[in-house]
Amino acid sequence: MPSSRTGRPPVQRAVRRPAASRTARQNPVLRLYTRARKAWDRPLTAYYLILGGSLLITVLGLVMVYSASQIKALQMSLPGSYFFRKQLLAAVIGAVLLLVASRMPVKLHRALAYPILAGAVFLMALVQVPGIGMAVNGNQNWIALGGSFQIQPSEFGKLALVLWGADLLARKQDKKLLTQWKHMLVPLVPVAFMLLGLIMLGGDMGTAIILTAILFGLLWLAGAPTRLFVGVLSVAAAIGMILIKTSPNRMARLQCIGATDPGPGDACWQAVHGIYALASGGIFGSGLGASVEKWGQLPEAHTDFIFAVTGEELGLAGTLSVLALFAALGYAGIRVAGRTEDPFVRYAAGGVTTWITAQAVINIGAVLGLLPIAGVPLPLFSYGGSALLPTMFAIGLLIAFARDEPAARAALSLRQPRFGRKRGGGGPTGPRRWNTMRRRASARSSGER
């Protein structure tokens, strides 16, 4: 090696960094994108999206239920906060169910599948018993609990199908039986059709559509061949068309798609006034509580058409925020289903994600005039305790599955209390070992802050 005149080795020149890295360091947009992508790939991203997204949707829903239901309550000679207080009570009970479901082990969820299915079938059959079941808006699908409280058993049928179907398919996959079409269909499809029959006895077409979407989601996750999938879809579509053709009310709803005028006999009154509410909101809305359509012009303003009131009062910004929250929730559910090795977790997470996403699409599509009005609430957002309770339990399922991922468990185990003694360290007179930035930095080796 040649040496310099002083006898010291020559100074090595610094290796030039690639131009791309310098560009990434100098470009703030690219640097922000890189940081966001790293944060998006962290182990607890799905956990935070599910927990934060569902809580934000629920809280915003409570605000909009209070705003949209005041006039309805006053028209019924009730306090203005009547519907809000009932929804708040349901949200508190649902939060307890969410917490319990998120802390339950997967084995216990599987053990509850058959009892929940049996209870849902019993209650759905009880709806048809005269003197017990009651009709609301022409649909016989409610049970009175006393006072002003009612329950809709078909909402719990969605949760029952998800848990029972996931457990069934997981056991058959463990036994290598899903390669045969008869094991893939039986008894999943017959039991689902039984639930659909009990729902359709009450005339609830909207809930039947959601249950059908859950069934197709489970079959798709199980790897159903295209011919089998198309065959079941064709049978379901044929039955649906017969049910629509034989009901003048359903035919009228189908004809109101894209309507801009109420039409003869005001057949499309609700659909058109939902569009009016959205159109008058503008970019940032008329202000919270300032809706005009909720003053008796828009039917079901606090239930099926609460998204229209949200667009009128919070504008395009508010509706896009709701859509973004549902999109984040759907992405997180797909991520949980795609990253797990447990077949039950994959089927259950996929079923819950299909349920919530399909119901949100059908509700919002009806408000926008793109789909027929199916009479289904917006999940976690619309008024209705019967819909809120099983949905929040299902969200608890997703949270439990997100926490159960190996990388998420490792990231959670590295966390220590910010203040206080370290677990197992020191005695009453021993020195305090506080969390320091140095220890916190060492916990980032797994990619989790």
Side-chain angles (χ1 to χ4, degrees):
M1 176 182 299
S3 59
S4 61
R5 295 178 180 178
T6 58
R8 297 177 181 177
V11 179
Q12 296 288 339
R13 290 187 176 182
V15 180
R16 287 189 176 183
R17 295 183 178 181
S21 62
R22 291 202 310 269
T23 304
R25 186 175 60 182
Q26 295 173 0
N27 190 345
V29 177
L30 190 57
R31 186 167 63 249
L32 182 62
Y33 169 76
T34 304
R35 290 181 178 178
R37 187 172 181 179
K38 288 182 180 179
W40 197 256
D41 290 334
R42 288 176 183 169
L44 291 178
T45 297
Y47 170 75
Y48 287 132
L49 285 178
I50 296 170
L51 180 61
S54 59
L55 291 181
L56 285 174
I57 294 172
T58 305
V59 171
L60 183 57
L62 286 172
V63 174
M64 293 311 304
V65 165
Y66 181 61
S67 175
S69 65
Q70 286 180 333
I71 307 303
K72 179 70 174 179
L74 294 176
Q75 289 174 346
M76 299 172 62
S77 301
L78 296 170
S81 60
Y82 173 78
F83 293 104
F84 168 75
R85 286 181 293 175
K86 291 185 65 177
Q87 185 74 356
L88 180 60
L89 176 62
V92 172
I93 299 174
V96 175
L97 292 177
L98 184 149
L99 182 62
V100 171
S102 65
R103 294 294 178 176
M104 288 168 55
V106 174
K107 291 183 179 180
L108 186 54
H109 285 302
R110 299 188 68 168
L112 289 176
Y114 280 87
I116 291 178
L117 177 64
V121 171
F122 174 75
L123 291 176
M124 291 167 68
L126 206 62
V127 167
Q128 306 304 322
V129 177
I132 298 179
M134 58 181 300
V136 177
N137 295 331
N139 292 337
Q140 182 83 14
N141 52 6
W142 295 83
I143 295 177
L145 299 179
S148 61
F149 292 95
Q150 305 164 353
I151 187 173
Q152 188 177 2
S154 58
E155 293 291 340
F156 295 88
K158 304 172 187 176
L159 178 63
L161 181 60
V162 167
L163 284 177
W164 177 79
D167 178 68
L168 175 70
L169 293 174
R171 286 189 288 108
K172 290 198 172 190
Q173 180 173 331
D174 292 338
K175 297 178 181 179
K176 311 296 183 182
L177 296 176
L178 290 182
T179 55
Q180 306 175 32
W181 67 268
K182 59 181 180 180
H183 284 289
M184 186 174 294
L185 294 181
V186 181
L188 178 62
V189 174
V191 171
F193 275 34
M194 179 189 66
L195 295 175
L196 288 170
L198 291 173
I199 292 174
M200 289 308 301
L201 283 176
D204 191 358
M205 186 73 176
T207 305
I209 294 174
I210 305 301
L211 211 68
T212 305
I214 295 173
L215 173 62
F216 287 143
L218 291 174
L219 289 176
W220 183 78
L221 288 169
T226 305
R227 291 179 298 172
L228 185 63
F229 200 81
V230 171
V232 177
L233 182 61
S234 301
V235 173
I239 295 175
M241 289 303 298
I242 293 173
L243 293 173
I244 292 174
K245 288 286 187 180
T246 55
S247 174
N249 182 35
R250 297 188 187 113
M251 282 297 299
R253 292 186 179 187
L254 191 64
Q255 293 171 358
C256 290
I257 297 178
T260 57
D261 185 85
D266 293 333
C268 300
W269 179 274
Q270 187 178 23
V272 170
H273 278 270
I275 298 296
Y276 290 168
L278 291 171
S280 60
I283 302 297
F284 298 106
S286 57
L288 192 62
S291 170
V292 175
E293 291 292 334
K294 69 182 180 183
W295 286 78
Q297 299 296 322
L298 179 63
E300 307 297 337
H302 61 300
T303 54
D304 301 343
F305 270 68
I306 194 171
F307 189 76
V309 179
T310 304
E312 185 178 5
E313 295 187 351
L314 303 183
L316 181 63
T319 55
L320 289 181
S321 299
V322 174
L323 291 176
L325 289 173
F326 275 110
L329 193 59
Y331 165 80
I334 294 173
R335 175 168 169 164
V336 171
R339 292 194 173 190
T340 183
E341 298 295 333
D342 190 335
F344 171 79
V345 172
R346 180 169 64 254
Y347 295 133
V352 171
T353 306
T354 303
W355 163 14
I356 295 176
T357 305
Q359 188 164 328
V361 168
I362 291 173
N363 177 275
I364 295 174
V367 174
L368 295 176
L370 303 176
L371 295 174
I373 299 174
V376 296
L378 189 59
L380 301 173
F381 202 84
S382 296
Y383 170 78
S386 294
L388 184 63
L389 295 182
T391 306
M392 294 195 75
F393 187 88
I395 293 295
L397 283 176
L398 290 180
I399 293 175
F401 298 156
R403 290 169 55 93
D404 199 50
E405 290 183 9
R409 284 202 307 266
L412 289 172
S413 65
L414 288 173
R415 295 189 168 187
Q416 297 288 345
R418 183 167 294 182
F419 299 103
R421 297 176 184 174
K422 184 179 179 181
R423 294 179 183 178
T429 59
R432 289 182 179 269
R433 304 179 69 178
W434 302 92
N435 286 334
T436 62
M437 292 300 294
R438 190 176 187 180
R439 288 173 54 213
R440 292 179 64 191
S442 64
R444 298 178 186 172
S445 59
S446 63
E448 178 67 22
R449 290 185 184 271

